[in-house]
Amino acid sequence: MFPCRPCCRLAPGIQGPGGQTVAMDVAYICEWDRKPRTSHCPSIPLVCAWSCRNLIAFTTDQRNEEEKDLTHMIHILDTEHPWDVYSINSGHQEVITSLEWDQSGSRLLSADADGRIKCWGMTDHLANSWQSLVGSEVDGDPIVALSWLHNGVKLALHVEKSGVSSFGEKFSRVKFSPSLTLFGGKPMEGWIAVTVSGLVTVSLLKPNGQVLTATESLCRLRCRVALADIAFTGGGNIVVATCDGSSTSPVQFYKVCVSVVSEKCKIDTEILPSLFMRCTTDPARKDKFPAVTHLKFLARDMSEQVLLCASNQCSSVAECWSLRKEGLPLNNIFQQLSPGVSDKQPMILKWRILSATNELERVSAVALPKLPISLTNTDIKVANDTKFYPGLGLALAFHDGNVHIVHRLSLQTMAVLFGSSMRQSEEPSLKRQRSPTPCVHFKALQMSWTSLALVGLDTQGKLSMLRVSPSMGHALDMTTSLRHLLFLLEYCMVTGYDWWDILLHVQPNMVHNLVEKLHEEYTKQNAALQQVLSTRILSMKASLCKLSPSTITRVCDYHAKLFLISISCTLKSLLRPHVLNTPDKSPGDRLTEICNKFPDTDIDKVMINLKTEEFVLDMPTLQSLQQLIQWIGDFVLYLLASLPNQGSSFRPGHSFLRDGASLGTLRELMVMIRIWGLLKPSCLPVYTATSDTQDSMSLLFRLLTRLWMCCRDENHPCEPDEALIDECCLLPSQFLIPNMDWLPLGNGLISRLQSKLPLRLQFGKPPGAPSHASVQYEAYTRSPTQPKIDHLRRLHLGTCPTESCKSCTRCGCVTMLKSPNKATAVKQWEQRWIKTCLCGGLWRKMPHTYS
């Protein structure tokens, strides 16, 4: 039950006036510019959706003063750059009633009050460019519920095993059947919708691009459907819950089965047990809450639990129900006639109420958690435990502007954010006056995929990003707080979900411990899983290190390591065995084995042990790879030249000097490049040396091998000898040390959100650049007069690039949209990054020029 006046609580480590910690606070607020003639106003109803890649879609109605009509708009933004919103004229003639992301977070469904459904996809895989792909239609029948069909992938989080080392025990794959499968068991894509007249429509996307659509009545006696929701069962069936909006009417449930027969979609429906809300059966409150305003399954893949809200003009009540199997009792007469019947008691499905609230302020929006923490009916006792997990709570927004997070089974209050505190953060105290106008409140609310953030859209059209504390306001020690965040980071690493909302809660003093713990847990996994997650953990470490001044330079190292791994995989994949169908190892594996077996400092002696015919490539291919080869040569020279300054952890590249695996990879690539140089000398890296007779590659390989010998054994590393350091000290006098063109600091928000003061932003207007210490961030900054660079192709674009470019939403990497090179090897390299950046972040199109 809700307490009458719960106290406001805070995030871990931030103490409030009463010594309590804050459970929710505002991270930033983004609003529309009110000056132009064409203005955005909140649509009715206002809908919002949050994808697993931290893309947010929401609707507004655009009013044009000249034409005096409304255009129904869909806006899509990424949470790191909320001002860079992409606005779509949806083409819907009626108000948009539903938005739904698919399981991959790359496609969006929109449905309207005229029965039209559209599927939107990224144009050229850009997060700020979208187009309508396909759609379906139920003429003139408003859509009240919409969902993608389930793909059969379900991962369960075992909170009680958060201290276990194995990821397989913490996050287990749950047996769950897809809604529909193709030949071979592949899930079939599509969507299901429920209309206001009681129809269910299913659209299936065939591999050839065709859409199969079928429509069927939920039951023979069709009735008005005001509210509906859709959930899925483990057996591949679909459950639809409907209500006509009156609390005196039953909430109906239907099982829907979808199949394909003779190239046509077929729908079968079956009535399931229904329920009446408890508030209507209580004589004291029978007519007090006449309307059902919210009907939600607690999870998309949990059709046995449902949340209901009934309301009047001023207040609401919430109830949580669960579907159970219960035995049907037999009369004593039948038990005496058949004594064995009692052992085979027939079972029936029956809805039982789990919990209900007292009278609340009128509920305006509901947000459900997406973390797949499986709970049973006996788990209500968890609500009495002080160690809450965010995934156990759902969010309720009220008409007085407050937001509550309540336990999803017991409905006990876990956290509160008062609307008055948000309004105080928005307006100066001199401008705040008492007004009889209604309170600003959220009309749409969505939780992130780790339940650590909430996005709300209010009656004024503002978008507010709220932090939700992992501890739910309970004062926890640093170790417990780190364990909460670590558990969710591991979950994102396994699933591939974006982890931006977790970074909202990472303070600078947590970064080092989190990175160390994350690496420690990663090394405890088996070799196969480590290989799968190798690039993802590097991206995660880079994101974490951006949040602390003491680790900011390590971001360069992690991105360089990602780039090195990618180059190594691409170049080795170009090698072909001299004799086909040989059972021996691949040329790339043989190269690694030989380089580890023969630690010679003479590069030519290592080459003797290789089958050089396996490294033969055609001349155009070798020449097209020159930019990547040049980066390898420059990077080796830069690392060796920085060895005498190895004590400075603020210098980019510092961690490579103790990384035996990365140095070994560089050594292998140097050998490969040496062989290619014999075939095509112009593909070799170019060095600016003081002596024309010096063999630059032999010298660098000799020094690199000696450095690699010092740290090849990770368990027993040794310090570089004085002779090696002295030779490296001479490199600046022998070569021009190159500038490595590290990734610049992005203009994202995450590093600015560590203070608890909310940021005020405006759609379409980037915020000012943050002020950084010039010495500490020298490697990341580029003056406007410096030439720009394509970070993936390693091409210089000039001071004012004329080519269209795209940048990564996560790391800020910049590359050209279109390839200037048609060589096959270059295309193979570029295909790696056509969908996502090397760090896994999404691409967004940049303005024609960038600085």
Side-chain angles (χ1 to χ4, degrees), residues 639-651:
L639 288 180
L640 293 173
S642 62
L643 181 61
N645 299 320
Q646 59 180 314
S648 174
S649 60
F650 290 103
R651 186 179 177 89

Side-chain angles (χ1 to χ4, degrees), residues 56 70 86 152 239-240 352 355 444 449 472 479 485 675 684:
I56 294 175
L70 291 178
Y86 183 74
V239 178
V240 175
R352 293 290 186 184
S355 56
W449 283 65
M472 287 297 161
T479 303
L485 296 176
I675 298 174
L684 290 172

Side-chain angles (χ1 to χ4, degrees), residues 44-72:
I44 301 175
L46 182 62
V47 290
C48 176
W50 194 329
S51 81
C52 63
R53 303 173 90 170
N54 280 325
L55 294 176
I56 294 175
F58 64 98
T59 60
T60 64
D61 290 336
Q62 189 179 54
R63 181 183 293 109
N64 192 312
E65 294 182 359
E66 295 178 355
E67 301 178 5
K68 296 183 179 180
D69 60 354
L70 291 178
T71 302
H72 304 293

Side-chain angles (χ1 to χ4, degrees), residues 68-120:
K68 296 183 179 180
D69 60 354
L70 291 178
T71 302
H72 304 293
M73 306 293 294
I74 298 176
H75 309 281
I76 300 176
L77 56 86
D78 73 275
T79 52
E80 179 71 345
H81 307 86
W83 62 87
D84 187 18
V85 61
Y86 183 74
S87 300
I88 309 169
N89 184 344
S90 66
H92 287 290
Q93 300 302 315
E94 298 293 334
V95 66
I96 299 172
T97 58
S98 297
L99 291 175
E100 284 291 327
W101 289 101
D102 70 346
Q103 288 86 349
S104 67
S106 58
R107 288 178 299 177
L108 178 71
L109 289 178
S110 64
D112 64 17
D114 196 33
R116 296 184 64 189
I117 301 172
K118 291 188 175 185
C119 176
W120 303 86

Side-chain angles (χ1 to χ4, degrees), residues 564 567-568 571-572 591 632 664-674 697:
L564 176 62
I567 290 179
S568 176
L571 297 187
K572 287 180 179 179
L591 172 65
I632 296 169
T665 302
L666 286 170
R667 189 168 173 268
E668 296 167 17
L669 294 176
M670 291 283 281
V671 173
M672 191 186 307
I673 294 169
R674 180 73 164 194
M697 285 204 68

